[in-house]
Amino acid sequence: MKKIYELKDITYGPFFYKDQIIVCNEQDEYLFFSADNYRLLHKVNVGGIYTIDILEGRIYLYNHDLYTYDDKTETFILYRPSLGGGFVILFNDYFIETKYDWDRDEVKVSFYKEASNDIQWTNIFRKRAGVLNVGRHLYITDTSLKYIDFIDARTGGVLNTLHFENPPISRFIYYYKDTLIVSLEIKPLEEYRLLGLDARTGEEKWSIEDADYRYIQDPMTGYLYDIGGKRFNVVDPGEGKILYKGDMTAENKKFDILPEWGILGKNSIYFIDNFPRSRVGRIDLKTYKIEFVVDLNFSNGVKITDLSYHNGRLYILDTDKTLHIFAEE
């Protein structure tokens, strides 16, 4: 792994669009760099904090209104205004507008056809906070993630409600084909249960005990990789089977490392260890062995905050707002 470039004053990103890298700085500017030579192509000031998403080759910015990026003008243009003062998101070929009322502790959800202002349905969900759209399915949740309402997207009706009072859902929810996967928190940072549910009805399909709270999911196979501390497990979410249950103790001792979390690379997982110094390592997904560990030699107190992988490059963002770019060797 060889360091090839770094970008300063980066607070958000990177995102990958066509042959460009997009990052945001403290001035609320979205900077577009060439993915080949990291030359700054242009920048756009959006004047606020937005959520960015890239779906089917288009860039979207979410605040209340929904914006999309126009390649010709190199600006963000209004794509869908908020009609009722709520928060607009895309859902398949439709728009959803959600408006949370703090005083009433309820969320109003309006469902629109994409090219129309005609409301297909509106519903008010009490003691709920917002919409969760996963795959082609729609859910309503509360702030503590104790409830999931399974919603019929055609009518707005509730198909089923699951209540996880004790334990609540940890904040990691996954999806594979027709299965919604939730992580239940038994003991914070110690004990979790992984639950596979029918994505439309909420019916339990499988359960795995002694699970972790955070996984890496392969978008192609759906496999879930549990990495952290001494653990390294592989789960097939289709059938709820543990394909591999490994103990990384010997590997950790060999490299004097304790993996915290990671991301998927090409036939590998990149992981971080921030204490006492910031390091990055790679695990081969064929052998389940650590291939190497690199000390990033950060200044005292600087830690890794985010990892991204794209087209053979590893992007590491640190607390000093520097984005480090590495190439695989």
Side-chain angles (χ1 to χ4, degrees), residues 116-148:
S116 169
N117 290 341
D118 295 334
I119 297 176
Q120 182 159 326
W121 56 260
T122 295
N123 204 347
I124 294 176
F125 301 91
R126 305 191 186 282
K127 297 187 182 300
R128 299 293 186 267
V131 170
L132 175 68
N133 57 304
V134 183
R136 302 193 66 83
H137 299 280
L138 190 64
Y139 311 93
I140 306 292
T141 59
D142 63 320
T143 53
S144 60
L145 285 180
K146 292 182 179 180
Y147 294 88
I148 297 182

Side-chain angles (χ1 to χ4, degrees), residues 24-78:
C24 188
N25 63 16
E26 290 185 306
Q27 290 73 47
D28 297 328
E29 294 174 319
Y30 283 91
L31 311 176
F32 290 69
F33 290 90
S34 166
D36 295 324
N37 56 23
Y38 309 106
R39 179 174 61 89
L40 179 62
L41 302 174
H42 64 277
K43 55 186 176 181
V44 182
N45 192 315
V46 297
I49 299 174
Y50 290 78
T51 300
I52 188 170
D53 207 352
I54 298 179
L55 300 170
E56 298 181 356
R58 296 189 70 173
I59 307 173
Y60 296 96
L61 288 185
Y62 302 83
N63 191 322
H64 284 283
D65 301 325
L66 177 63
Y67 296 82
T68 189
Y69 180 74
D70 183 77
D71 286 297
K72 293 182 179 179
T73 62
E74 297 182 342
T75 58
F76 288 97
I77 59 175
L78 183 63

Side-chain angles (χ1 to χ4, degrees), residues 10-21:
I10 305 302
T11 58
Y12 189 30
F15 301 92
F16 307 100
Y17 173 68
K18 296 182 177 178
D19 57 351
Q20 301 169 68
I21 301 167

Side-chain angles (χ1 to χ4, degrees), residues 107-121:
V107 62
K108 179 181 179 181
V109 180
S110 301
F111 202 81
Y112 297 87
K113 292 185 178 179
E114 181 174 4
S116 169
N117 290 341
D118 295 334
I119 297 176
Q120 182 159 326
W121 56 260

Side-chain angles (χ1 to χ4, degrees), residues 1 12-16 21-23 261-265 270 272 280 304-317 323-326:
M1 195 171 77
Y12 189 30
F15 301 92
F16 307 100
I21 301 167
I22 306 169
V23 292
W261 53 269
I263 60 167
L264 197 67
Y270 286 96
I272 75 161
V280 171
I304 302 168
T305 60
D306 201 10
L307 287 182
S308 301
Y309 178 88
H310 184 71
N311 285 348
R313 304 281 169 87
L314 184 67
Y315 299 80
I316 304 173
L317 187 62
L323 182 66
H324 308 264
I325 305 173
F326 291 82

